[in-house]
Amino acid sequence: MNRRHSAAAAITLVCALAVLAAPAQAFATPAPPAPEQPPKSGDAEGSGASEASGTSGASGKKSLEEVRAKIDALYRKAGAATDAYNLAEERSKKQSSEIVKLAQAIVEGQAKIAELKSRAGAQAREQYRNAGLPPGAQLMLSGDPQLFLDGISRAHQGQQAAKGVLGELNRTQEDLETYTQDASTNWTKLEANRVKQAKAKKKINEQIAAAKKLESQLEKKERARLLQLEQQAEYKSQTAWLSSGALKEINRGASASGKKAVAFATSQIGKPYKWGAEGPASFDCSGLTSQAWAAAGHPIPRTSQEQWRQLPHIAVKDMRPGDLVIYFSDATHVGMYIGDGAIVHAPRPGRNVTITGAGSMEILGVVRPDK
């Protein structure tokens, strides 16, 4: 029933494109991105790949900023498909476990029915040996009053035992029918979720392949510029978030469990993103947060969407280190708040676990695993 020996169940693949060059940077007062150098004469980037209006030789008429937006959109779609895959994976695991339990119950029920039938058969054979007469009639015909009086109680007990065996046999047979029906239902659901997993996996791979193809078509200078554009977009969003005054009220200390979760998550910095991964060598965004809180003694749902759906919601102004920041309207990305306006997260394929600004992406809300 185990479809995977490595833990990979329900995973959010869409991660933010922004990765800061210096993981230890403080995000309460983020440093602006490096100023652009004026293009040199004959420079391909200055003549044809500028952010404002230039076109990339590898991307046709699209500007590098448009390419960046397209890549980001592809990874976002992959992330939505990943949550569908992860949810189906988690349900498949649960249903597989239920089927195993039901199968054990069916075996036990069959053994119990065989034992009850054996007891009922023994009673029938005993009655046959006594010429088919019920115990009460046998006592009355014995001609011994004392034997009759002494046997009344035993006869009654025997009758009750016979009724008990038959009643238990009927109940066990009913239970067995229920177990069989439940196992069939779970098997149907299991197969349906396997189909969903296969479709989601195909979509994930298609979106990631398309994004990687776009990146591979860029020249070396363009890829460096693409990373710079990602950082600029991240910086712009973080600066706007800080300018709103959000950080002024965020000054709470972490709980004991929150400190353990943060320690685990930050110790993974530098490890590569891999969709469906829960460590130890690589992580996806919700794989990192779920494993961090498992290490802190608080198991939480595997996917970012389920984390958003099931965990207690907290106002942004009330968040503390260890809380999870959920991103985008479809809850397809998650990072762990570590204080000072920053999160640790696994961004997306091609990037490593890193620290970035908590406001560098569109915040949907905050949840607290240990509330």
Side-chain angles (χ1 to χ4, degrees), residues 4 22 75 108 120 122 216 254 274 314 321:
R4 275 186 162 184
Y75 281 125
E108 292 171 1
S216 68
K274 182 179 179 182
I314 299 296

Side-chain angles (χ1 to χ4, degrees), residues 296-366:
H298 286 268
I300 62 174
R302 171 63 178 84
T303 70
S304 59
Q305 290 181 339
E306 289 302 295
Q307 289 169 3
W308 173 245
R309 189 176 71 86
Q310 296 186 35
L311 298 178
H313 290 201
I314 299 296
V316 172
K317 66 181 180 63
D318 294 328
M319 70 179 176
R320 66 191 186 194
D323 288 346
L324 305 182
V325 185
I326 309 295
Y327 293 96
F328 309 120
S329 59
D330 52 0
T332 48
H333 188 64
V334 60
M336 179 178 292
Y337 187 65
I338 60 174
D340 199 25
I343 62 165
V344 58
H345 74 146
R348 53 96 160 167
R351 300 290 187 256
N352 298 331
V353 175
T354 190
I355 292 175
T356 192
S360 60
M361 295 166 280
E362 174 195 340
I363 296 176
L364 175 62
V366 180

Side-chain angles (χ1 to χ4, degrees), residues 48-106:
S50 69
E51 178 183 352
S53 60
T55 59
S56 164
S59 57
K61 296 182 179 180
K62 290 184 179 179
S63 70
L64 199 57
E65 174 58 29
E66 288 174 323
V67 173
R68 185 196 71 80
K70 178 63 176 176
I71 291 173
D72 184 59
L74 287 168
Y75 281 125
R76 289 281 307 280
K77 289 178 181 178
T82 299
D83 253 20
Y85 176 92
N86 292 337
L87 187 57
E89 178 77 6
E90 287 297 294
R91 287 176 176 173
S92 291
K93 287 182 177 180
K94 182 178 180 180
Q95 285 150 5
S96 294
S97 177
E98 287 298 318
I99 289 171
V100 170
K101 291 178 182 177
L102 288 168
Q104 292 172 341
I106 288 171

Side-chain angles (χ1 to χ4, degrees), residues 115-127 129 165:
E115 190 269 335
L116 290 169
K117 284 183 176 180
S118 177
R119 286 167 56 187
Q123 290 175 346
R125 288 191 296 273
E126 178 65 23
Q127 184 174 347
R129 282 194 295 270
V165 168

Side-chain angles (χ1 to χ4, degrees), residues 213-340:
K213 183 178 180 180
L214 276 177
E215 289 186 88
S216 68
Q217 291 173 341
L218 298 174
E219 297 176 1
K220 185 176 180 179
K221 286 184 179 180
E222 291 174 323
R223 287 196 295 271
R225 176 64 177 148
L226 181 66
L227 178 59
Q228 187 180 24
L229 289 176
E230 292 174 8
Q231 294 173 348
Q232 287 176 346
E234 186 177 65
Y235 169 79
K236 182 179 180 181
S237 181
Q238 173 75 353
T239 300
W241 183 67
L242 294 176
S243 298
S244 70
L247 195 62
K248 292 180 180 179
E249 297 185 52
I250 304 176
N251 56 4
R252 290 165 178 77
S255 65
S257 297
K259 290 179 181 178
K260 293 178 181 178
V262 169
F264 179 94
T266 53
S267 69
Q268 313 308 315
I269 290 174
K271 293 184 178 180
Y273 178 103
K274 182 179 179 182
W275 79 267
E278 296 178 288
S282 56
F283 295 87
D284 66 17
C285 62
S286 59
L288 177 65
T289 54
S290 60
Q291 287 301 301
W293 272 102
H298 286 268
I300 62 174
R302 171 63 178 84
T303 70
S304 59
Q305 290 181 339
E306 289 302 295
Q307 289 169 3
W308 173 245
R309 189 176 71 86
Q310 296 186 35
L311 298 178
H313 290 201
I314 299 296
V316 172
K317 66 181 180 63
D318 294 328
M319 70 179 176
R320 66 191 186 194
D323 288 346
L324 305 182
V325 185
I326 309 295
Y327 293 96
F328 309 120
S329 59
D330 52 0
T332 48
H333 188 64
V334 60
M336 179 178 292
Y337 187 65
I338 60 174
D340 199 25

Side-chain angles (χ1 to χ4, degrees), residues 1-180:
M1 296 293 177
N2 250 339
R3 302 187 61 239
R4 275 186 162 184
H5 293 291
S6 61
I11 310 133
T12 356
L13 198 244
V14 155
C15 296
L17 285 169
V19 179
L20 297 185
Q25 178 180 351
F27 289 88
T29 54
E36 298 181 33
Q37 298 296 324
K40 297 179 182 179
S41 176
D43 190 308
E45 183 174 346
S47 60
S50 69
E51 178 183 352
S53 60
T55 59
S56 164
S59 57
K61 296 182 179 180
K62 290 184 179 179
S63 70
L64 199 57
E65 174 58 29
E66 288 174 323
V67 173
R68 185 196 71 80
K70 178 63 176 176
I71 291 173
D72 184 59
L74 287 168
Y75 281 125
R76 289 281 307 280
K77 289 178 181 178
T82 299
D83 253 20
Y85 176 92
N86 292 337
L87 187 57
E89 178 77 6
E90 287 297 294
R91 287 176 176 173
S92 291
K93 287 182 177 180
K94 182 178 180 180
Q95 285 150 5
S96 294
S97 177
E98 287 298 318
I99 289 171
V100 170
K101 291 178 182 177
L102 288 168
Q104 292 172 341
I106 288 171
V107 170
E108 292 171 1
Q110 290 172 335
K112 188 174 182 180
I113 285 174
E115 190 269 335
L116 290 169
K117 284 183 176 180
S118 177
R119 286 167 56 187
Q123 290 175 346
R125 288 191 296 273
E126 178 65 23
Q127 184 174 347
Y128 177 78
R129 282 194 295 270
N130 291 316
L133 292 174
Q138 295 172 31
L139 290 171
M140 292 182 69
L141 293 174
S142 68
D144 187 339
Q146 187 60 47
L147 179 61
F148 175 78
L149 293 174
D150 292 342
I152 286 289
S153 177
R154 290 195 300 272
H156 179 72
Q157 291 172 0
Q159 290 172 351
Q160 292 299 109
K163 290 180 181 178
V165 168
L166 292 176
E168 190 173 0
L169 180 60
N170 288 333
R171 288 192 298 272
T172 303
Q173 288 176 327
E174 290 173 359
D175 289 343
L176 192 58
E177 289 177 5
T178 300
Y179 296 150
T180 303

